[in-house]
């Protein structure tokens, strides 16, 4: 067996001979079989090294306009180096996906888009980097355009700029909401408080005392709690108790 892919702390793929894989599946409860019929990223690939070199001999790599972090070299690379030998090593060696994510995260990359026919790595990325914005592009058994628009929406909601003019074509953007907010205030305003000397408005029992104007019984202990509201409007004499012009 060979370690084929290291996607994350909880996601490692092994590849190799079928008998060895069956032995692993029989002894490891957490292991499950991936539905593929070839042993990539394992020693079995060495059998086709010469054939692959002949098949890819005419490849003439050029410089990419998009920077590329290679899971083969585990570093940023010049894409002119992606010749036949590179693609053989890409097929033979372990895929260090987790290392690539770690390096990109440390470099302040926080948006990851899995460009593939069906997202299989997004869950692993979210588990390793929960603060990142993660999405796929297409989904199996889903309408392609709908899936792409859904991915664009997820990026937009995550704070990633989306060129909506390109996405929606002749569509138009509208301001939301299309109607005024229906606002209802629940806090007590000054007018309500001003008329609150009748403590029954606050759900309390009124008292005849000028300072302690309301009372209630605490359900937990049965104790009595008194409360009041001091205001010069209702207690003009409080204005006489002032220090440097400020009533206490």
């Amino acid at each position: 067996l060979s370690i084929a892919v290291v996607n994350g702390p909880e996601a490692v793929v092994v590849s190799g001979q079928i008998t060895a894989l069956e032995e692993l599946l029989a002894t490891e409860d957490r292991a499950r079989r991936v539905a593929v019929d070839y042993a990539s990223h394992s020693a079995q690939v060495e059998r086709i090294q010469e054939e692959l070199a002949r098949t890819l001999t005419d490849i003439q790599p050029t410089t990419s306009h998009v920077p590329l972090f290679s899971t083969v070299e585990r570093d940023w690379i010049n894409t002119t180096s992606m010749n036949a030998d590179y693609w053989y090593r890409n097929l033979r060696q372990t895929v260090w996906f987790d290392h690539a994510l770690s390096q990109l995260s440390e470099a302040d990359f926080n948006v990851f888009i899995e460009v593939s026919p069906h997202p299989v790595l997004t869950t692993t990325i979210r588990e390793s980097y929960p603060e990142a914005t993660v999405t796929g592009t297409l989904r199996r058994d889903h309408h392609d355009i709908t899936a792409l628009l859904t991915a664009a929406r997820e990026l937009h909601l995550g704070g990633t700029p989306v060129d909506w003019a390109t996405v929606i074509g002749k569509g138009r953007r509208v301001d939301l909401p299309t109607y005024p907010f229906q606002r209802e205030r629940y806090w007590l305003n000054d007018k309500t408080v001003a008329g609150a000397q009748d403590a029954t408005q606050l759900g309390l029992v009124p008292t005849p005392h000028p300072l302690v104007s309301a009372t209630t019984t605490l359900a937990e202990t049965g104790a009595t709690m008194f409360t009041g509201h001091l205001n010069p409007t209702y207690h003009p004499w409080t204005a006489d108790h002032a220090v440097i012009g400020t009533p206490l």
Side-chain angles (χ1 to χ4, degrees), residues 18 29 46 54 65-66 77 99 112 132 140 153-154 165 175 186 205-206 242:
I18 294 178
D29 294 337
E46 296 173 4
R54 290 193 303 269
H65 296 291
V66 178
I77 66 170
H99 175 84
F112 298 98
R140 188 182 303 114
R153 179 200 63 188
E154 292 177 357
D175 295 328
Y186 292 95
V205 178

Side-chain angles (χ1 to χ4, degrees), residues 197 206-214 226-227 235:
Q197 292 305 296
T207 73
H209 196 281
L211 297 181
V212 183
S213 56
F226 296 94
T227 184
H235 311 99

